[in-house]
Amino acid sequence: MATSRSAIKTSSQPANGADELSLPWFWPVDAALRLTERNLDFLSEAVKITRPPPPGWATPHTVRLDLPTMSLREFGKAGSDGIPVLVDAPYAGHSATIADYDKGQSLVETLLANGLEHVLVTDWKPATQEMRYFSIDTYLAELNAAIDDLGGVVHLVGLCQGGWLSAMLASRFPGKVKSLVLAGAPIDADAGDGPIKRMAKTMPLKSYRAMVRTGRGLMPGRFMLAGWKNMHPDEHYVDKYVRLYQNIADKNYLDRTETFAAWYENPLDLPGVYYLQAIEQIFKDNRFAKGEFVGLGRRLSLKDVTCPVYLLAGAGDDITTSEQVFAAEDLVGTPKKKIEKKLVPGGHIGLFMGRKTLGETWPGIARWIAAQS
């Protein structure tokens, strides 16, 4: 045993005194350096997802029209013989790139890959001071102009807030809409019991007007973003940074997080007149569902919508509850046999960019659209 201990002692002796002093300190210093590097990476990434650059478009395209309210983006074969598909993106504070979010998570890409050769998207512009008096009529008129530029008839796909605008267009000009898809669209604002409905009903109109005054005639996007985040404060102010730290070495996770942040953290300002009309007339008074909303000089009735209709809702959607979407079935004039309904798992934006819904549901919707031509 003595020999063994001696051998062990000899083999572990340092070559000189300096090494003998440095070796015990090396391990904790190395660990500290690694921890510092991780912390610096985390801080750098946290800045990226808090103040990211604006989002981009995933699919090659051209701008067909440049109107005061929108750039009409054109994908696929512009000269194809079929009726074009016009995706009316939400105009509610975030970029229209949600319709072409990322490779493998693009509604545009999915539609093109499933038999629809000519797809367009309304890329609604962030409001400037010159746009502060734009009203819902302004957006209806320019959506109508875009349809006329496309030949006068389209398959119309309304996403979220773009859904009620699309339904208004189909009510006002029924002959211009060959088929209508409403995805996560609040058609009956009184239906269901989601947090958006409760906020719209309980928050006084004077509070919305005060925010518009603060924005000098605009509804600042940063105000809306703060409101959305405060619906789930733990998620937006704590949990996402915990997950970021845990996955700081995962490049795929970082890429996905940065892509989402570019879309979510760059809100758009809205024209004050348009915003207050939507709050008061659509969400508080529910005039459109009641047949009391006046669009482009005429009272609009959903009973005038008689084209085939497809209704898509998310089971976990707390922005637009499924009841608000599916209520359209009894409000439109379309025969029941020409109405399709689909309830899918997941929340609101997953309806437009979720891999599962894009992979399993939208290909069927694309085939349904093609069958209406």
Side-chain angles (χ1 to χ4, degrees):
M1 291 292 293
T3 304
S4 175
R5 285 195 296 271
S6 176
I8 293 172
K9 182 177 180 181
T10 302
S11 65
S12 63
Q13 281 183 332
N16 56 60
D19 287 339
E20 184 176 11
L21 291 173
S22 65
L23 275 174
W25 289 99
F26 177 79
W27 300 315
V29 170
D30 179 60
L33 288 173
R34 289 176 183 274
L35 183 60
T36 300
E37 183 180 1
R38 181 186 181 91
N39 289 344
L40 289 174
D41 288 345
F42 166 74
L43 291 173
S44 174
E45 195 63 32
V47 170
K48 283 185 182 179
I49 67 171
T50 303
R51 297 183 181 86
W57 294 82
T59 305
H61 65 279
T62 59
V63 174
R64 181 179 178 114
L65 286 178
D66 187 15
L67 298 168
T69 63
M70 73 162 114
S71 297
L72 184 63
R73 298 187 181 267
E74 187 167 47
F75 305 80
K77 298 179 181 178
S80 61
D81 295 331
I83 297 172
V85 177
L86 178 56
V87 178
D88 187 1
Y91 191 49
H94 277 118
S95 168
T97 56
I98 192 66
D100 189 37
Y101 179 76
D102 199 7
K103 286 294 181 185
Q105 285 184 272
S106 166
L107 175 56
V108 167
E109 182 182 59
T110 300
L111 296 176
L112 291 173
N114 287 276
L116 301 176
E117 297 182 340
H118 189 195
V119 177
L120 302 101
V121 177
T122 59
D123 182 10
W124 302 111
K125 296 178 178 180
T128 62
Q129 283 293 310
E130 291 73 21
M131 298 167 66
R132 64 188 182 277
Y133 297 120
F134 283 11
S135 66
I136 290 175
D137 267 6
T138 310
Y139 291 84
L140 268 177
E142 297 213 346
L143 182 61
N144 183 49
I147 292 172
D148 283 345
D149 190 76
L150 293 169
V153 180
V154 297
H155 296 289
L156 196 52
V157 179
L159 310 182
C160 183
Q161 305 298 321
W164 56 256
L165 190 71
S166 295
M168 285 181 178
L169 189 289
S171 300
R172 184 65 178 80
F173 304 106
K176 294 186 175 185
V177 182
K178 188 69 173 178
S179 70
L180 178 64
V181 178
L182 300 175
I187 300 303
D188 185 349
D190 286 342
D193 189 32
I196 298 297
K197 172 190 170 181
R198 292 195 296 270
M199 183 173 67
K201 297 293 187 183
T202 59
M203 187 171 171
L205 189 61
K206 65 180 181 181
S207 297
Y208 294 100
R209 287 174 173 158
M211 288 187 282
V212 170
R213 283 197 301 273
T214 301
R216 296 187 302 135
L218 303 178
M219 179 57 183
R222 67 183 186 279
F223 289 179
M224 292 182 286
L225 182 61
W228 297 320
K229 287 184 175 182
N230 287 335
M231 288 174 61
H232 303 285
D234 290 349
E235 163 64 23
H236 292 288
Y237 299 117
V238 180
D239 294 350
K240 77 172 183 179
Y241 293 107
V242 172
R243 290 195 302 272
L244 178 65
Y245 191 82
Q246 292 170 338
N247 294 278
I248 198 65
D250 184 341
K251 186 179 184 306
N252 182 53
Y253 180 88
L254 298 183
D255 287 345
R256 287 186 286 111
T257 301
E258 288 176 14
T259 299
F260 181 76
W263 178 78
Y264 191 74
E265 299 287 347
N266 283 288
L268 308 182
D269 294 345
L270 302 181
V273 171
Y274 166 91
Y275 179 78
L276 291 175
Q277 277 186 319
I279 291 295
E280 182 177 14
Q281 299 187 35
I282 305 301
F283 291 99
K284 282 187 173 292
D285 297 344
N286 202 25
R287 293 187 194 177
F288 182 42
K290 294 175 181 177
E292 299 172 357
F293 183 85
V294 176
L296 295 176
R298 180 177 298 173
R299 190 181 297 272
L300 302 182
S301 171
L302 280 160
K303 290 300 180 186
D304 289 333
V305 178
T306 57
C307 65
V309 173
Y310 197 111
L311 305 174
L312 177 66
D317 191 341
D318 63 354
I319 302 298
T320 304
T321 62
S322 58
E323 294 91 344
Q324 292 184 333
V325 183
F326 291 154
E329 180 180 18
D330 296 319
L331 295 174
V332 298
T334 303
K336 289 290 195 294
K337 64 181 180 180
K338 292 187 177 181
I339 299 176
E340 297 287 336
K341 293 167 51 180
K342 183 80 170 179
L343 182 67
V344 298
H348 189 66
I349 62 172
L351 290 172
F352 323 128
M353 49 70 82
R355 292 181 187 275
K356 184 177 178 64
T357 305
L358 288 174
E360 298 179 2
T361 302
W362 279 101
I365 295 176
R367 292 190 292 271
W368 178 86
I369 291 172
Q372 312 311 315
S373 297

